[in-house]
């Protein structure tokens, strides 16, 4: 079975009720694994107790990983929960996942991967950005290979150049409604409605699929000739940390399992709604 990889940040979300293992690519891999995929977390940790605890936690969850130990502290994020459980993040800089090395072991994982999910956050560092691009370049060149850019804009850790380079390297874009506003301004898509903006991005970058999540207002999946919309289920929200990542993981796993766009969308909504009822991004 070929690999499904989440590459980028792995870290501790420091929530009011305590630390939770997180990082969007790790969350993605976790939920893909829950759906039967051979998922792998690729990142870097420090030679410290927090790093060792990440390995212990991933091992407890039977989630394979390629975590290089580097001379930087393991990443942490201070998370404050606002209204309706919406998180605000204070992401520590110059940490281990900013320094992910590209190794022979990582090259071998890439060469045997059928899907990868990456974001903009780990690209704030040129070292990790180049590792991510090298990984993407090393993946097999087949039509059924999925390269998912879960844009995941955080604080000021992104630029138009990084976003555009990533759009050129992916074939699936995952974006939320707030991020779409930022991207529409960045790429001169103002004046169009959200659906038109999504189709413009889909066509401009020759994407196979564009996923737009709109919080409680529902979610869309667009292809060149198909549109799927589903409302967001009403649930008792504990917090929304990792909900988007669980959506992406469930969607990709469903597509790789041969499900249709509509079926994959339905499963993604179901999984992300459940994650919202739990604390943290890996609640099982």
């Amino acid at each position: 079975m070929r690999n499904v990889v989440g590459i980028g940040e792995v870290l501790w979300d420091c929530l009011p009720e305590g630390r939770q293992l997180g990082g969007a690519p790790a969350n993605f891999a976790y939920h893909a694994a829950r759906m039967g995929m051979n998922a792998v977390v690729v990142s870097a940790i420090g030679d410290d107790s927090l790093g060792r605890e990440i390995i212990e936690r991933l091992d407890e969850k039977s989630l394979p990983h390629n975590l290089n130990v580097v001379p930087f502290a393991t990443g942490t994020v201070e998370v404050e929960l606002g209204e309706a459980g919406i998180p605000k993040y204070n992401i520590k800089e110059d940490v281990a996942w900013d320094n992910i090395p590209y190794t022979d072991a990582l090259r071998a994982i890439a060469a045997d991967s059928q899907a990868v999910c990456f974001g903009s956050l780990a690209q704030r560092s040129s070292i990790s950005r180049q590792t991510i691009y090298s990984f993407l370049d090393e993946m097999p060149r087949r039509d059924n290979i999925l390269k998912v850019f879960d844009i995941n804009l955080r604080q000021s850790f992104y630029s138009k150049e990084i976003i555009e380079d990533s759009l050129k390297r992916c074939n699936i874009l995952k974006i939320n409604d707030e991020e779409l506003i930022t991207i529409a301004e960045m790429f001169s898509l103002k004046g169009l409605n959200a659906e038109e903006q999504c189709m413009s991005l889909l066509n401009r970058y020759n994407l196979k699929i564009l996923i737009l999540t709109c919080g409680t207002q529902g979610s869309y999946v667009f292809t060149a000739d198909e549109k799927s919309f589903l409302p967001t289920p009403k649930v008792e929200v504990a917090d929304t940390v990792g909900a988007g990542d669980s959506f992406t993981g469930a969607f990709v796993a469903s597509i790789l399992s041969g499900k249709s766009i509509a079926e994959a969308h339905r499963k993604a909504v179901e999984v992300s709604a459940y994650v919202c009822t739990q604390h943290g991004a890996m609640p099982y």
Side-chain angles (χ1 to χ4, degrees), residues 30-42:
Y30 172 76
H31 288 284
R34 291 287 304 178
M35 291 189 59
M37 297 292 107
N38 185 43
V40 183
V41 179
V42 171

Side-chain angles (χ1 to χ4, degrees), residues 247 250-252 254-255 259-269:
F247 187 111
F251 182 86
V252 168
S254 297
I255 292 293
K259 303 297 186 186
S260 68
I261 293 289
E263 289 170 327
H265 188 188
R266 197 173 303 114
K267 185 64 177 178
V269 168

